[in-house]
Amino acid sequence: MSQVASAAPPVREAGVDRFVVGLALIGMVVLGGLIYLETAPFLLALFVIGGLLGVALYHGAFGFTAGWRNLVTKKRGAGMRAQLLLFALTALIMVPLLGSGREGMIGAVAPVGTSLVVGSFLFGIGMQLGGGCGSGTLFTVGAGNLRMLVTLLFFIIGAVVGSLHLPWWLDLPAVDPISLIDSVGVTGAIAIQWLGLGAVALWVNRIERRAHGEIEHGELRLLPTEGRAWRALFTGRWPFLWAILVLAVGNALTLVIGGSPWGITFAFNLWGAKALQAVGVDMGQFEFWSWAYPAQALSDSVLVNIPSVMNFGLLLGAMLAAGMASRFNEASRQKPQGRPFLAAVVGGLLLGYGARLGFGCNIGALFSGLASASVHAWVWFACAFAGSLVGIRLRPWFRLAN
């Protein structure tokens, strides 16, 4: 998600930013009303779920980008372990749902091939340069981070370019999607996922123990380190476990209500394509936008597109959380310029292009992919982490701290 470990809201006595909170609530009411009037109640429910996910991401400071970087540069694995725990819990919930045979539910399963490998590797570099991934970019923009607004803009541009190139990439060598649920059943799929996640956890623990002699288990804490729990719930830093529970249940509810797991980056494709279409570009001339789902999404309102609706909720939820903590825009008081600005541009382009080639971001490809017991999610994980290592090495040149 993002580098927001440093921007996480600590428990504090500062008052609520009433203007920001009011603006977020008005946005939720107006947009929620439009969604309800134009579409159906189930999309309004997904809009609300998106808002709750935005609150959890902000208050939990649940960052993939920072978690990976902390393991590499500081040899601390709490963020990584929190992610692994999230994956394990969500798989336990969602694999049985997907294996139940219930009509209308499909998992996040994708081919394994050149497109996936290249896309996820580029995405990993972009995470570290851009400062976040798909969800991290959104919730930090919602919290008023100006640099991440630059990343988001170029994320969208990169995603559209990726959609134009994707058919060519898909013609390169690949194997068909592999679902462990179909291959070994529900119990076997959960067992394999847990064994794999456990092996990664042992690797993370070994790195931390060798560097520091002990392991910090902050991700398992039930109560905040400062202040009272009720105050932290609205204005402070959540324990990782709180965010894990909200994110896991939120993804499962998205599957049940929307028919597929949580995804983010297709909406970026759609927003960019609609912007080009609005200025006269015929997007239908490009193969990707002639395929059934993209073509339908392009012709419909964004208010009937599930990823878009949830993204709008996520942005407003993060804005509400930042206003409640009186920290809106605190992470980015200065306008991005110079090399950090360039990093946001390059990182955003790599994020968007990589997400399109890699069938999603850390949410749609990794989180939802692992929760769906798809083999492609493991390949995405490995390649994106390798790309992240490259991005971490490049950060100092862009005058970004590690």
Side-chain angles (χ1 to χ4, degrees):
M1 296 169 199
S2 111
Q3 59 181 2
V4 289
S6 60
V11 177
R12 53 192 282 159
E13 299 298 328
V16 171
D17 188 330
R18 296 182 180 179
F19 176 78
V20 173
V21 169
L23 198 61
L25 290 174
I26 291 172
M28 288 179 172
V29 171
V30 172
L31 194 54
L34 290 173
I35 292 169
Y36 181 79
L37 292 173
E38 185 166 340
T39 59
F42 87 93
L43 275 167
L44 180 59
L46 292 173
F47 175 69
V48 173
I49 291 171
L52 294 174
L53 293 171
V55 171
L57 289 169
Y58 179 80
H59 280 309
F62 202 90
F64 282 75
T65 305
W68 292 12
R69 189 166 65 248
N70 285 340
L71 180 66
V72 174
T73 61
K74 300 178 181 178
K75 312 300 181 186
R76 285 298 187 186
M80 282 285 289
R81 282 190 297 272
Q83 295 167 33
L84 298 172
L85 181 59
L86 171 65
F87 300 154
L89 175 60
T90 313
L92 183 64
I93 300 171
M94 287 177 53
V95 168
L97 289 172
L98 289 166
S100 67
R102 176 178 171 180
E103 187 176 354
M105 287 197 310
I106 58 171
V109 184
V112 177
T114 307
S115 178
L116 174 68
V117 171
V118 173
S120 52
F121 181 79
L122 293 177
F123 189 92
I125 299 174
M127 285 171 62
Q128 297 300 336
L129 298 185
C133 50
S135 56
T137 299
L138 276 182
F139 88 79
T140 48
V141 167
N145 190 307
L146 297 178
R147 181 178 184 275
M148 297 306 292
L149 187 60
V150 176
T151 297
L152 176 60
L153 173 62
F154 285 91
F155 200 140
I156 293 171
I157 294 172
V160 174
V161 175
S163 72
L164 307 185
H165 294 173
L166 181 61
W168 181 86
W169 284 101
L170 292 181
D171 285 337
L172 298 178
V175 298
D176 291 336
I178 303 171
S179 166
L180 293 176
I181 299 174
D182 295 338
S183 301
V184 297
V186 170
T187 302
I190 293 175
I192 291 173
Q193 295 296 82
W194 278 32
L195 285 171
L197 294 170
V200 177
L202 290 174
W203 172 69
V204 170
N205 290 349
R206 182 183 179 188
I207 291 174
E208 185 169 2
R209 186 176 288 111
R210 289 180 66 179
H212 301 282
E214 60 181 0
I215 297 173
E216 294 180 340
H217 285 292
E219 68 278 7
L220 300 177
R221 190 171 58 247
L222 288 173
L223 296 175
T225 54
E226 302 177 51
R228 297 180 179 179
W230 68 267
R231 183 180 293 277
L233 182 65
F234 294 103
T235 65
R237 168 70 185 272
W238 287 8
F240 275 138
L241 194 56
W242 293 10
I244 288 169
L245 292 172
V246 174
L247 295 174
V249 173
N251 201 347
L253 288 174
T254 301
L255 172 64
V256 172
I257 297 172
S260 58
W262 183 20
I264 284 183
T265 56
F266 178 78
F268 297 168
N269 276 127
L270 182 60
W271 300 348
K274 280 187 171 291
L276 289 174
Q277 192 169 252
V279 297
V281 179
D282 177 17
M283 297 304 293
Q285 66 181 299
F286 302 108
E287 183 179 350
F288 176 86
W289 294 104
S290 69
W291 297 344
Y293 177 67
Q296 185 64 49
L298 193 59
S299 65
D300 288 339
S301 164
V302 293
L303 297 184
V304 301
N305 177 252
I306 289 176
S308 292
V309 166
M310 293 192 68
N311 284 357
F312 295 148
L314 197 160
L315 281 165
L316 290 170
M319 185 179 181
L320 176 64
M324 290 294 295
S326 194
R327 293 179 65 89
F328 183 79
N329 201 33
E330 187 169 303
S332 184
R333 295 295 188 191
Q334 301 296 323
K335 294 181 179 180
Q337 55 187 345
R339 292 190 186 183
F341 177 84
L342 180 60
V345 171
V346 174
L349 291 172
L350 291 174
L351 285 166
Y353 196 83
R356 187 63 279 150
L357 267 60
F359 310 108
C361 63
N362 60 298
I363 296 298
L366 179 58
F367 178 25
S368 292
L370 289 176
S372 302
S374 175
V375 170
H376 93 282
W378 287 103
V379 178
W380 194 101
F381 196 178
C383 295
F385 193 86
S388 187
L389 294 176
V390 175
I392 290 169
R393 288 184 174 273
L394 292 174
R395 281 175 61 87
W397 188 87
F398 288 97
R399 297 175 182 166
L400 300 174
N402 272 332

